[in-house]
Amino acid sequence: MGLFDHLLRDIRSVVDRDGVDSTIPPLDGALSPNDRLDTAVAIGEPLPGVDDVISAGDDTIYVSAGRRVLKLSGENFSTRAVVAEFEEDAGGLALHPDGRLLVCVAGRGLAAIDPAKPNPQWCEAADGSALAGLLSVTAAPDGRIYAVEGSAGRHPAEWRHDLMEKRSSGRLIACGADLGNPQVLLRDLPYPYGVTVAAGGKGLWLTESWAHRLSRFALDGSGLGAREIVAGNMPGYPARLHPDGHGGLLLGVFARRTHLIEFVLKEDDFREEMMVTIPPDYWVAPALVGGSDCLEPMQIGAVKALGIQKPWAPPRSYGLLVHLDGEGEATDSLHSRAGGRFHGITAACATDRGVVIAARGAGRLLLYTGDIR
């Protein structure tokens, strides 16, 4: 980068902030920090790679963890049965109105599992491009299926690379109930992570992690309506969102934004050298879990004192679950702060026993039985 390029970048950062609002909003109001997430009870043994959780509606839940999809039932969800196992990691889950289980499989595409048939049905490409990076899936009451691919052609495990390369190649996909005729409804999205059909089936909610954005689209017979940005500058990176059973939503936020990361994203020379010379686990980048390795960035006194990580310190990782009302406004939140136990929240679902939460960073499935406004 030459002198003139540096000058243009500096002017741009002052005049229009690269065309986006990079100011990180504070955690206040409904998002005020607390330790409520750390009061949740871990369900059973650890589940390494736990990623998504949905309610089956019959006092059972489906969970994706690593390459398996499990069905949990019984007292305290203590009974675990393997529903399916794939060659790559299983991610987003959804139940189709006809009873099939929809599973996003890394590197392969979308699988539809019919309990009456031994082999799943697959949707593996859209518009001639393989669906290698599907993250979330949902089904409308009319049977139509919607899914999001975080980054076209990129494995979900490389999400950190996608942010540091400042890519914006995600897609929103739609297909019929039979997985036929897949179409790309939106492309060039900044890492779309979560998608769900609104209560009543008349709208579609979408989260975009790298834009820190929550949007809503109208659904009608003519297709997808215009975008309505409900939250355009969130304090973290939004993940999946699932209905709360009362017209609202449960939104997982897998990491918090920090001023250091925002700064690194603007310093192209430093970021490019960092990616070439340092292992990804030690990049100045969001993390699902942190604080246990002396090689991680941010190990100075502002983070730890006498070997104890301060809960108010700039977080290497964070746990945050947000409750949204029917209009997408935050009404409550559960936190596991910098020194907490349950970080990297990727999904949560409502059950009759409480809210079940997937803490991917901790590799645990959690049950929260307290009140959520």
Side-chain angles (χ1 to χ4, degrees):
M1 182 182 289
L3 176 62
F4 187 67
D5 293 323
H6 278 285
L7 181 60
L8 282 178
R9 183 200 61 190
D10 293 341
I11 294 175
R12 190 182 301 116
S13 66
V14 172
V15 174
D16 68 356
R17 311 287 293 182
D18 292 334
V20 298
D21 184 1
S22 59
T23 303
I24 302 175
L27 292 176
D28 58 10
L31 298 180
S32 295
N34 55 67
D35 296 314
R36 294 163 65 193
L37 190 56
D38 286 320
T39 67
V41 178
I43 298 174
E45 296 298 317
L47 282 171
V50 62
D51 199 18
D52 198 7
V53 57
I54 61 171
S55 173
D58 56 355
D59 211 23
T60 62
I61 55 177
Y62 288 104
V63 180
S64 60
R67 298 183 178 185
R68 300 184 300 168
V69 176
L70 307 173
K71 186 175 184 179
L72 276 60
S73 59
E75 185 177 359
N76 300 322
F77 299 113
S78 58
T79 302
R80 298 181 178 183
V82 177
V83 175
E85 189 164 359
F86 302 96
E87 295 181 356
E88 293 282 354
D89 288 345
L93 304 173
L95 280 175
H96 195 272
D98 63 12
R100 289 177 298 161
L101 177 64
L102 306 175
V103 185
C104 298
V105 181
R108 179 74 186 271
L110 180 64
I113 302 174
D114 188 336
K117 298 179 181 178
N119 297 318
Q121 184 181 3
W122 289 92
C123 176
E124 300 178 282
D127 282 4
S129 178
L131 297 174
L134 289 183
L135 293 174
S136 293
V137 61
T138 187
D142 63 3
R144 192 158 177 79
I145 297 169
Y146 300 88
V148 288
E149 185 178 27
S151 185
R154 168 161 274 174
H155 197 285
E158 298 179 324
W159 61 270
R160 195 179 282 116
H161 295 74
D162 202 76
L163 174 61
M164 291 293 106
E165 293 173 4
K166 299 203 284 190
R167 292 185 60 177
S168 183
S169 61
R171 301 188 293 176
L172 172 64
I173 313 295
C175 64
D178 61 351
L179 304 189
N181 190 30
Q183 299 175 332
V184 178
L185 302 183
L186 296 173
R187 60 180 76 244
D188 299 328
L189 301 176
Y191 211 75
Y193 202 132
V195 64
T196 192
V197 174
K202 300 299 184 181
L204 190 73
W205 293 96
L206 176 73
T207 65
E208 295 162 280
S209 298
W210 307 157
H212 330 113
R213 184 165 62 201
L214 170 67
S215 301
R216 177 170 52 189
F217 301 84
L219 286 180
D220 52 38
S222 61
L224 198 67
R227 177 196 293 267
E228 175 192 357
I229 297 178
V230 177
N233 186 31
M234 303 179 73
Y237 302 96
R240 297 186 182 91
L241 65 175
H242 292 309
D244 69 350
H246 303 285
L249 297 165
L250 295 168
L251 170 65
V253 178
F254 70 86
R256 268 188 63 190
R257 297 165 63 191
T258 67
H259 294 289
L260 181 58
I261 294 174
E262 296 291 325
F263 176 75
V264 168
L265 287 172
K266 290 182 174 293
E267 294 297 321
D268 295 336
D269 291 347
F270 174 86
R271 190 181 68 257
E272 291 168 3
E273 183 177 355
M274 176 185 72
M275 295 176 66
V276 171
T277 59
I278 300 176
D281 287 344
Y282 303 131
W283 289 353
V284 180
L288 298 175
V289 64
S292 60
D293 193 329
C294 65
L295 296 179
E296 292 177 357
M298 297 193 303
Q299 293 289 322
I300 58 177
V303 176
K304 289 186 177 182
L306 301 177
I308 300 175
Q309 191 163 6
K310 300 176 182 178
W312 59 86
R316 169 69 172 166
S317 60
Y318 200 86
L320 177 56
L321 176 67
V322 181
H323 180 253
L324 308 173
D325 64 17
E327 297 302 316
E329 294 292 331
T331 62
D332 203 358
S333 59
L334 309 180
H335 297 244
S336 178
R337 296 189 286 175
R341 298 183 295 157
F342 303 130
H343 291 182
I345 306 302
T346 52
C349 72
T351 72
D352 292 338
R353 307 181 195 184
V355 176
V356 180
I357 305 165
R360 183 175 175 88
R364 300 304 296 253
L365 200 63
L366 312 174
L367 177 64
Y368 182 78
T369 57
D371 293 332
I372 297 182
R373 299 186 299 273

